Amino acid sequence: MDFEDFVAARSAALFRAAFVLTGNREAAEDLVQETLERACRKWRVIAGKDAPEAYARRIMVNLANDRWRRFRCLVTTSQAESGDKAAPGDEFGQVDTRDQLVRALQQLPMRMRTVVVLRYFHDLSDTEIAADLGISPSTVRSQLARGIEKLRDQSSVLSTPSPQRHREGIR
């Protein structure tokens, strides 16, 4: 697979992960652009690997961690508490719920947030996440459990399972 094909096939998934990691559309676009720029520079090495997407994800996570460290003192996120829940079919309410989720994710420590994003937005296994992040699978499981618990504590909207999630089962 050449670099252009990789970008066409995987840039949307990388953007979704970047958006969840950053919580901001513009920052996510910048993060994906910088990730793809670095991947392009090393594409000959990356293309020879078994999992070029995992390599690009690792670049993105490292860049997001670097940005978070630089700007954590400058950025404060305030989360508006709201008791209103979206009515079925209420697209604006669903947008609010997604916004609350992204804001709640922003409150998690970076490693915890990364583990949650890789599990639920990229559907990776404990072993795959551990390999991507250079940690043990047991650390992945503990970070995931703590992250989910913190998310539930932060938002009542997130603590009630959606009907769709209930039908699909919990992973």
Side-chain angles (χ1 to χ4, degrees):
M1 170 185 297
D2 67 352
F3 183 70
E4 290 82 14
D5 292 339
F6 175 78
V7 171
R10 302 310 308 158
S11 61
L14 290 172
F15 175 78
R16 285 190 301 271
F19 183 76
V20 174
L21 288 171
T22 63
N24 176 310
R25 182 177 188 80
E26 291 79 21
E29 290 170 348
D30 290 346
L31 182 59
V32 170
Q33 181 176 353
E34 192 170 351
T35 298
L36 292 174
E37 177 186 337
R38 288 190 183 192
C40 182
R41 281 191 249 147
K42 297 181 180 187
W43 188 249
R44 287 185 182 161
V45 173
I46 294 171
K49 302 282 183 188
D50 290 336
E53 184 178 358
Y55 196 97
R57 247 191 335 266
R58 182 68 184 163
I59 292 171
M60 183 169 54
V61 167
N62 289 338
L63 289 170
N65 285 337
D66 291 345
R67 287 178 181 203
W68 182 78
R69 282 186 205 107
R70 270 183 284 171
F71 298 115
R72 72 179 170 200
C73 295
L74 302 175
V75 178
T76 59
T77 306
S78 63
Q79 181 176 355
E81 294 293 326
S82 174
D84 298 335
K85 293 189 178 182
D90 178 9
E91 293 180 22
F92 293 113
Q94 291 171 359
V95 169
D96 288 342
T97 301
R98 276 189 292 246
D99 183 57
Q100 287 178 355
L101 174 61
V102 169
R103 288 176 188 266
L105 282 165
Q106 292 300 305
Q107 299 298 314
L108 296 178
M110 191 63 187
R111 179 183 282 179
M112 214 177 273
R113 181 184 336 157
T114 302
V115 168
V116 170
V117 168
L118 291 176
R119 167 55 63 83
Y120 292 105
F121 288 84
H122 284 278
D123 200 30
L124 298 181
S125 70
D126 295 344
T127 308
E128 292 169 318
I129 295 169
D132 277 2
L133 300 180
I135 57 178
S136 71
S138 61
T139 302
V140 169
R141 287 188 296 274
S142 68
Q143 290 287 304
L144 186 61
R146 290 181 186 139
I148 295 301
E149 186 62 32
K150 284 186 177 193
L151 288 173
R152 286 184 177 138
D153 289 345
Q154 287 181 25
S155 176
S156 62
V157 172
L158 300 175
S159 65
T160 56
S162 69
Q164 183 179 15
R165 169 66 94 194
H166 183 66
R167 283 193 306 267
E168 293 174 356
I170 298 175
R171 182 173 190 180

